[in-house]
Structures are given as structure tokens and as C-alpha cells.
Amino acid sequence: MSSAMFHSPYSTQRYLNPAKICLLALIELYCEDAVGDEATLPVLEFITSHVLPDDSSLQPGSPSDKADKIIDMVSSIAAFEQVLRPHAAAVGMPGRSVWDVFLQRLWTIDSLHVLHSFLNARSALLEPSREHLRRGYQDMLPRESAIVMRLSPGSPFAVFVSKAAFEFTRLKFQEMATLWKQFVVYRQPSAGYMRRRNRSFSRLSFDSVLLSNEPDWGGENTTRVAEVVYQDMVTGGEKAAIPVTMDDLERLLDFQIDQMQKFGTRIPKQIEKKFRRFLDDAVIVPTFRHYLSFLDAWRRGDYTASLEYMHSYFDNTVLDPKTPYHPYAMLNMAICNAEFGCYSEAVTSILQCVTTARENKDTQCLNYALNWLYHFTQQHPQYAKDIEAANTLGNGKEGLAYLRVRAKDVGMWVLCSAALLGEAKLILQNGESVASAFAKVVRSSQLILQHDLETMLGSLCSVTIALWDRLGLPVLSNADCHHFLSWTREDAIVEDEIRVVGRLAAHLAAQGKYHEAFAMIEGSVDPAALRTYRVRSYWTKTRAIIHATRELHRNNLSSASQTIRQLLQEKSDEHLEPDLVFTVDALHIDLLIRQKDLSAAFTKVQSLIAKSTDGDISVRIRLMLLKAQILIRSGRPQKALTLSVRAASMARRTLLVNLLWQAVGTLADVLVSLGEFAGAERLLAAVIPRALEADGARLAGQLYTSLADARMGMAGMEGGGSSEEERKERMVGAHWALGKADGYWAALGEAVGRREGWAKCAVIMRTVGDGEMGEEYARRYVESRREEERRRGVDAVE
């Protein structure tokens, strides 16, 4: 939801402040050609960065830098010194910098009357239009003016000058006097520099009235008058407040709210202290401030504070349920409750939001609410019945089609692109045509490029990655991930970034590169992004999943069990992200299988199959394969045969290539268990070369192990006599397959798989007559078992 929906209902009280007066003086120097050729570009960049609207395409740089520049310029004149001092001026004595000329111009404004004249003459910097000339335009510039060029009425500088001149006419005398005192305090830090440059500069040069009357009043009386007028701020007795205007405050708050809503981040830590003081010195109705505090509390995971700040904000804006703010209040309430796991309250709030938006005919809010509602029901289907009872949306396809058409009608291209990507995801989940999913992705990509929807790049990348993974093309999937992190991460939502990083880390872990995976997670995420509760939570759980995977492969079941229990607790508390749920369940099933608790593993798989009847087809196929593996280990390969054939058929029909190779490997295991060794070998010989393209060490190790079992089975069926050579050849082929499998198990750190392979190799070597090699494999097996028992003893003592 854009921050434009949360503008303060109160009008801006004042636009001008000392920093804007300094910008006007700098623009005047530019029009006088007093800025040297070398300094022209830096000066124009500086003025433009504070004159143009807060648009990232017009003002490149990090969000924290932009906010920091606004605060620094409003707070101190040092921001001007940093830009102007290094460059030489085109006028004045040789060696003078633009900073010297700039200060000289500022210190000529030495009274309220001079400031009034200065601001009154700003409109003279503009080029007169034809209409003004026709009406008899009178030039307000004095004859001695050094202006050599004027500003075109359509230029950004002219718009800024016109705005300042107009706001000057609206100032009351009291406001003008306050502006003068603020300007004196703002300019005062440069007094020491002016005193070194000009010997005639005195302590009262900031006010010509005091300076000219000092001989008549006397020094003591003049000091008393200065203290009464300036409240001792100039002499340093009192710390002056930052001269904050409504314009600066709304720009900064709008910018920060937009960044937090757009990218899901918090206020950068390096400017948070400055920002708080900036807000404390503002004398305004604190409506914006409450909403910003709500977003910050939400991002840091403080549920109680976020609700309190949100109520404080909407108490100042929602005075009547029929006002336009009411549905947005309900939408924010729903999002906040869902974020912290209060799903029933979220459903109630979002349904009220939809109802109110329909009554108010607020199409924008209604479309946002329906889009959020659709994704909520996809992630939490247990609440779909309550929503369907309210008759707000149909099924997934109907709801997305409705949202896409409505968004296109009103020009909400972000929502239209999101609906297209949602349709592509739904097509993949239902196992429908991959070509149709690609068509949706291409249409969404076209909208993103056509309308510059930078924040949708992360969602587009996620769907594209899912497509490449489904087709068994991990090279393209990783290329998309690296391209996203290299070129588009600055414009993407931080949650999309952490998901892409997690995807790359998971791929590295699947190859056994655990060190690189942890380095990817810890080094590729901005530490400032981890201050956001949801991002840090996802980051922590991804690290926990990779840690549990590594410990399972190392057969360190106690450590893996502890980590998996914590992840399961997160799942039971409904704090686990939807895309990590099945990964955690698969780890738990793998743990139960390794603990030889096949009954519990089978019960777990059965319960997941019952819940995933209408879920993602890839999850259903994985569960079928897990069930088949458990049946094979339980000595019931006949029951696993039907499951493996169905899984292979479904994977082939839906082009889930990686699952197809896994299903064929499971089918080969079934055939080996049933004594059909030749058929299993033919299947594996056809599948293994293609499965190696998937770049998964575990799948390759399992397939090579199954191939070795099939060849050993064929060797055992060979008779004597002339077939003795063939029998030996089969056994040598099995040994070769076990060696290839051992290479993949070593990469993964798979302790059990390596030991089983060594035991089989020892039998093969003894059978073919190589007793020495057989003893070597047996020694490796025994040393591995002893090392594991020694590690378990150390862990038990600790």
C-alpha cells in the first residue's frame, strides 16, 4: 500500500526554512555565473538532489543516503560547506572558493528587512512569460544586479523558486520573524570562518540593527536586547531546535514510509538517532509519526507496540467508519495480525476491509485486499472455508482472473503483474502445462519492463527459478539467482532477496558444499536487513535447515534431532514460512528413517498425504516416493511398486524432471527387491546420465548405489562355466558404481552411505580374490564406526 494513502489531513503550515533560503542564494549565484566551470556540475547535482521529488530513478543512491542528506542539510550549514568548499569561484579574488562567495552572499542578509527584500525579489530570477510581457512586465531586479541568465519557467529550479516566492507571500509577520531567527542560528556556525577572512567582522555582524545601534545603546544594553530577541541561542547558551518545516517532514516521512512498505526494511541504524531528533523538534500533529512507528515496530517483531502505534495513527485519521481511511486501517490490521500468527483476527479484519471498501467503492483498496486475501488462503488453506462462506472470492483461478481484469481496468499494474505470476504458480502447483506458465511469466515480465515495476523483480525471479528447477535445469536457475543478486537486488523487496539467497545456499548444500552455503547466507545479506524480524526469522530457519541436513548426512542424529525439533515447534506455532514447511517435514521423516523408526515415519507420511490432497503436485509426488522407500525398507516392495510407477507417471506428465529421475530410481530399487535385476539395470543406465545434469549429489549417489545392487544381483544369477567371466565383469561393474557413489557420498559427508558402500566393496573384493583390497575396505568401515561412536561419547559427556 502506497504511502500516498496516508497524507496528513492538515495543511502545510510553512514551507520556507533556512536551508531553502541557502538554496535560493546558491541558485542566485548560479544565475550570476559566479560558480566556476569546475564547480558547475557538483553544484547543480547538489541543488537538484534537494529540489527534485523523491524519485529513485531521478536521484540514484541508497535510501539511507537520501534520508541522511535531507536531515543533514536541514540541520546544519555544514552540508553546503562540504559541497562548495573544494571548488574555486568564477568571481572575486583569486583563490576564493564557491564557499567563500556563498557565505559572503548569506552574510549580506543582516536584518529582517533585508531577508524580506531578498525573498520578495526571488520571482525576478524567472524568465518572464509572453503573457507577463504583454501585460507590461516590470523587472524587479535592481540595476546593479549581476544576474546574467534567468530560469526557464518549466525547469525544476524555476518551480522551486516559484514555490518559495509563493510561500513567502503567505507568511505572517510572526512567522517571518521566526524564520529570521532560525536563519541567524543556522548561519551562525560560519561566523568563525568569516571572522578569519574579514577583520572587520564583529560579533554583532549577524544583525545590522544591533550593530548600528551599539554606539548609542552601549555594549551591555545591546547584549541584553540580543538575548531577548534571540533567546541566547546565538551565543550558545541554549541549544537551538532543528528548523523543521511541514514540507521537509512530510517529504522525509513519506520517503521512509515508502521505503519500509516497498522494500520491507526498517529505518537504517546509522540515521535513526538523527531521525528521532528531527521528529522531536517538529511541532506538528504526530499522525505520520505514529504510522512510521507502527511500521518500525512491526518490522522488528514487537506485536504489542505495533498494534498500539497503529491504533494511535488511525485514531487521528479515522473519525468515521465511512471515511476512506477505514478500509486501510482494517487492511493494516489484517496484515499485522497475520504477520504475528493471529490468523483468526486477520480473517475478521480483512473481511471487514473488503466489505467497507465495496461500500465506499474504493477500487484500489478492494483490489489490494482481495489480492492479499487470495495469497493468505493459499498459504493457510484451513481458513479458506470461513472466507468462502463470506462469498468474497471463488476458487484460485477465478479469483486471480478477477483480480487481473480489475487491476488492468484501473491501471494497477503491480497487482496485474502479481496476478499473472500467481496464475503461473497455480499452474505449476496443479501440474498443468509448463508452456502456459511460461506465457504468464512472459506477460508479467512485459508489464514489469513496460511500467518499470522494480519491486516485482523478486517475485518474477522466484517463479522463473521454480520453472527452471521443475524442468531440471539448475544451471539456468542459479544463473537467474546470481543475476538477481548482482543487478536487481537494490530495487527488490528484502524478503525476495533473502529467499533467493536461501535458494542458492540450499543448492550448495545439496552438493555437499556446506561451508560455502553458510558463507553465502552470512555474507550475501545486508546486516541492516537482518534487523527486520521476518527477514531474520527466515534467515535463521534457513541456516537451521542446512545445519540439520549436514548433521543428518554425518549421522550425528542427536544434533540433527535437536534442530529439527525446534523447527517442528515453529511449524506447530504457525511461525514457519510456507515454503519451508515441507522441507522441515522431509527432514523429520529422514531422521525417523535413520533412527530405524519406520512405523513413525510411515504414519507421518500418511498424515501428510491426507493433508496434501489438493496441494502442490510436486509435494504429493515426493510423499509418494518417501512412502515407497519406507515400504522397500520394511520388506514390502510389492506395495511400493504401484506407488513408484504412479509417481514416475505423474512426474513425466507434469515435467517434474528431477522427481522423474528420483521416481525411476525408486522403481529400480523395487525391481531389485523383486529380483528383476536386468530391468533395473536398463532403467538406471538410461536415467543416470540425465540425472547427473540435475547437479544433486544425493540423487546421484542413490542411483549409483542402486546400479551396483542391480549388477550384483545379475552376477549372483550367473551360472558357472563359460559365464564365470561375465559374472566377474558384473561384479567389477558393481564395484565401479560403488566407487562413483562413494565420491558423491564423500562430497555430502554421508557417513552411513559410505559405510554401506565399503561393506559391499569388501564383499566384492573378497569374492573376486583380492583379499588385500577387501581388508582395506573392512578397515575403513571399522574406523568410521569407531570414530562415530567416539564422537557420540564426547557429545554425551558434553
Side-chain angles (χ1 to χ4, degrees), residues 653-715:
R653 176 174 54 84
T654 57
L655 293 182
L656 287 165
V657 178
N658 287 343
L659 292 181
L660 175 60
W661 309 145
Q662 188 176 345
V664 172
T666 303
L667 179 59
D669 290 338
V670 173
L671 294 177
V672 168
S673 300
L674 296 176
E676 298 292 337
F677 305 113
E681 186 190 26
R682 286 196 298 272
L683 281 175
L684 293 168
V687 162
I688 287 177
R690 300 181 183 182
L692 294 179
E693 298 176 359
D695 209 14
R698 182 171 185 174
L699 176 60
Q702 289 173 342
L703 292 177
Y704 273 118
T705 301
S706 300
L707 180 62
D709 292 342
R711 288 178 174 175
M712 280 299 295
M714 294 178 67

Side-chain angles (χ1 to χ4, degrees), residues 264-337:
T265 57
R266 293 179 60 192
I267 301 174
K269 202 168 185 178
Q270 62 269 26
I271 69 167
E272 187 172 5
K273 196 173 289 185
K274 294 181 182 178
F275 188 66
R276 296 300 176 193
R277 189 192 166 199
F278 194 83
L279 291 177
D280 291 338
D281 288 341
V283 185
I284 62 168
V285 178
T287 306
F288 267 149
R289 185 175 185 176
H290 288 311
Y291 189 73
L292 186 68
S293 300
F294 154 67
L295 289 177
D296 194 54
W298 173 12
R299 298 303 180 192
R300 71 171 180 262
D302 192 341
Y303 176 64
T304 305
S306 62
L307 284 182
E308 181 180 349
Y309 283 124
M310 184 174 62
H311 282 293
S312 299
Y313 173 75
F314 285 106
D315 283 345
N316 290 321
T317 54
V318 185
L319 305 177
D320 189 336
K322 295 182 180 180
T323 59
Y325 289 99
H326 187 258
Y328 293 112
M330 293 299 101
L331 180 58
N332 277 270
M333 180 74 77
I335 295 173
C336 185
N337 282 322

